[in-house]
Amino acid sequence: METVLSGVRPTGKLHLGNYLGAAINFVKMQENYKCFYFIADYHALTTHTKAAMLRDSSLNVLIEYLAIGVDPEKATIYIQSHVPEIAELYLFLNMFAYKGELEKCVTFKEKARKEGQTLNAGLLTYPVLMAADILIHKAHKVPVGDDQMQHLEMTRNFAQRFNHYYETEYFPIPQAFNNGEELLRVPSLDGMGKMSKSDDGKSAIFLVDDEVAILKKIKAAKTDGGPSMPNQIKPIEIENIFFLMKMVSDESTYQFFDEAYNNCSIRYGDMKVQLAKDMNLYVKPFRERILELQSDEAYVRKVARNGAEKARESAQKTIKDVRDLIGLNSLH
Ligand code: ADP
Ligand code: TRP
């Protein structure tokens, strides 16, 4: 049976981008694969998250995993830092990561542009830690959104180099995965870039958002004066609203507004109200379950403890094998 692994950084609340880009597949894949889903708290440290915020967010992401339907009986759910073997594998993999390629990584370059010389080394080696996450359980498939494509490519390189150097096929070469389709990128409501946890919260729909918040955010989404000719190409901010509608509304609703756009009779106000209504129906079950689980912290902590135990068992096996392959266990 193939192994699946993925993670989310505990830097805030899960949004529709996290869900549609990655987490929806966590739930689907737990039926047919051996699955590991974790909370990437080591990764959150690269952007200097405060301790209280890290604790709250880690608990919150765990609750949200459960709320969307990740089942601890079917998948192993754990917190990254509960499995210190990951940090050891990270050290080994650092020997196979080239400084030049790490500096060329797009997410690193963006941060480097903003922070310059004080950028920490953890950010430079972020992709190596991510590779350690994936390889520690010898995963084959990694359900992630489009923004993680380059990181996955780097994991593949490190795994290949390790295998080649030690003349082994120990690590499977993992693949980014979205149900056999292209990786997804859910746009932000402000028309700029992807929906993200770390923006101001106005341009992301969170799974925990209520009806009022959803309507307010969707109403504020940028639109234009409307099409002036039939069958005009949609500008990006309009395309984004249609994209969201395609994701959460009925096909016939989408068709209705698409035709209205194409024959220039569209009223964005009506479309937004409809989208907000459908969006609310879409996230409501998650919201309700999140609120329920928030009052059952004992259960959530138990899930984390059991998950850590299972994840460590798997990780310890890999670390032992890797130490043997590298030649580190020889004097034991
Ligand atoms: P964020 O960027 O919002 O902080 P993370 O970096 O923790 O979220 O991402 C967790 C998962 O969600 C990753 O697999 C990532 O690719 C996916 N993801 C995040 N934002 C989007 C988006 N807007 N569209 C599709 N997938 C996304
Ligand atoms: N880097 C991912 C993100 O920002 C989170 C992550 C860390 C991850 N380790 C991973 C995702 C391993 C998949 C597999 O979204």
Side-chain angles (χ1 to χ4, degrees):
M1 191 194 272
E2 283 193 323
T3 299
V4 168
L5 174 134
S6 195
V8 173
R9 290 174 306 145
T11 46
K13 298 175 281 189
L14 286 198
H15 53 77
L16 204 69
N18 299 135
Y19 182 66
L20 294 171
I24 193 170
N25 288 323
F26 296 8
V27 182
K28 286 188 193 145
M29 295 175 94
Q30 67 187 351
E31 305 301 333
N32 304 313
Y33 296 88
K34 180 173 182 188
C35 293
F36 293 91
Y37 302 125
F38 73 100
I39 291 139
D41 56 351
Y42 283 155
H43 278 101
L45 297 177
T46 59
T47 46
H48 292 154
T49 313
K50 290 280 184 211
M53 153 87 177
L54 190 59
R55 265 192 296 264
D56 286 356
S57 284
S58 297
L59 184 69
N60 184 56
V61 174
L62 187 48
I63 286 176
E64 293 187 315
Y65 276 178
L66 298 170
I68 61 168
V70 179
D71 180 349
E73 301 291 322
K74 294 179 180 160
T76 302
I77 310 173
Y78 61 97
I79 312 244
Q80 185 183 30
S81 64
H82 293 180
V83 185
E85 290 76 12
I86 296 168
E88 188 173 346
L89 185 59
Y90 166 58
L91 183 147
F92 298 149
L93 292 174
N94 266 310
M95 314 308 165
F96 292 94
Y98 305 149
K99 175 173 167 277
E101 73 189 329
L102 293 172
E103 282 171 345
K104 268 191 239 142
C105 179
V106 173
T107 40
F108 175 77
K109 281 203 294 197
E110 268 169 27
K111 300 239 164 68
R113 204 175 329 112
K114 283 188 207 139
E115 289 189 38
Q117 289 303 313
T118 59
L119 193 86
N120 70 69
L123 268 172
L124 180 68
T125 55
Y126 184 111
V128 189
L129 181 55
M130 185 158 161
D133 293 327
I134 298 169
L135 299 177
I136 198 82
H137 302 300
K138 303 172 74 179
H140 301 89
K141 291 198 164 76
V142 185
V144 281
D146 171 66
D147 58 313
Q148 297 301 312
M149 185 90 117
Q150 194 180 21
H151 287 155
L152 251 296
E153 212 40 59
M154 294 173 88
T155 296
R156 295 161 62 83
N157 288 338
F158 306 152
Q160 256 149 0
R161 279 179 211 149
F162 180 98
N163 284 351
H164 186 251
Y165 189 80
Y166 293 108
E167 297 175 29
T168 172
E169 290 183 5
Y170 186 71
F171 287 122
I173 307 304
Q175 278 180 333
F177 189 76
N178 178 27
N179 247 325
E181 292 178 20
E182 265 185 41
L183 302 190
L184 214 64
R185 178 178 180 276
V186 177
S188 158
L189 284 173
D190 63 10
M192 309 222 293
K194 74 168 192 96
M195 200 176 271
S196 157
K197 283 198 237 92
S198 36
D199 67 16
D200 57 8
K202 288 192 200 134
S203 44
I205 304 279
F206 297 110
L207 300 186
V208 76
D209 277 348
D210 64 18
E211 200 173 349
V212 177
I214 291 172
L215 183 63
K216 194 167 162 210
K217 288 182 194 184
I218 291 181
K219 273 196 168 164
K222 202 170 151 210
T223 47
D224 59 7
S228 50
M229 285 183 318
N231 303 316
Q232 211 172 305
I233 290 182
K234 299 181 183 98
I236 185 77
E237 60 271 19
I238 304 301
E239 187 61 50
N240 289 349
I241 297 176
F242 273 95
F243 176 93
L244 293 175
M245 184 165 254
K246 187 157 222 149
M247 292 291 142
V248 303
S249 302
D250 286 343
E251 176 68 21
S252 59
T253 308
Y254 178 88
Q255 289 300 342
F256 173 84
F257 286 102
D258 194 43
E259 272 164 34
Y261 182 88
N262 285 332
N263 65 29
C264 301
S265 67
I266 190 151
R267 288 155 54 133
Y268 291 134
D270 294 351
M271 182 177 180
K272 284 177 167 179
V273 169
Q274 182 66 46
L275 176 60
K277 202 169 133 218
D278 295 340
M279 186 71 77
N280 180 52
L281 288 178
Y282 193 80
V283 301
K284 193 167 169 233
F286 303 142
R287 177 172 74 231
E288 288 173 354
R289 189 81 187 111
I290 292 168
L291 298 179
E292 250 171 59
L293 284 161
Q294 276 171 350
S295 57
D296 196 357
E297 209 176 300
Y299 168 69
V300 180
R301 289 191 182 280
K302 196 172 111 204
V303 169
R305 262 198 316 276
N306 292 345
E309 208 174 295
K310 281 197 270 173
R312 276 202 88 176
E313 205 180 299
S314 154
Q316 278 164 353
K317 183 172 179 328
T318 305
I319 282 294
K320 177 174 181 311
D321 293 345
V322 169
R323 282 173 149 263
D324 283 343
L325 282 167
I326 293 181
L328 290 174
N329 281 337
S330 54
L331 296 180
H332 266 249

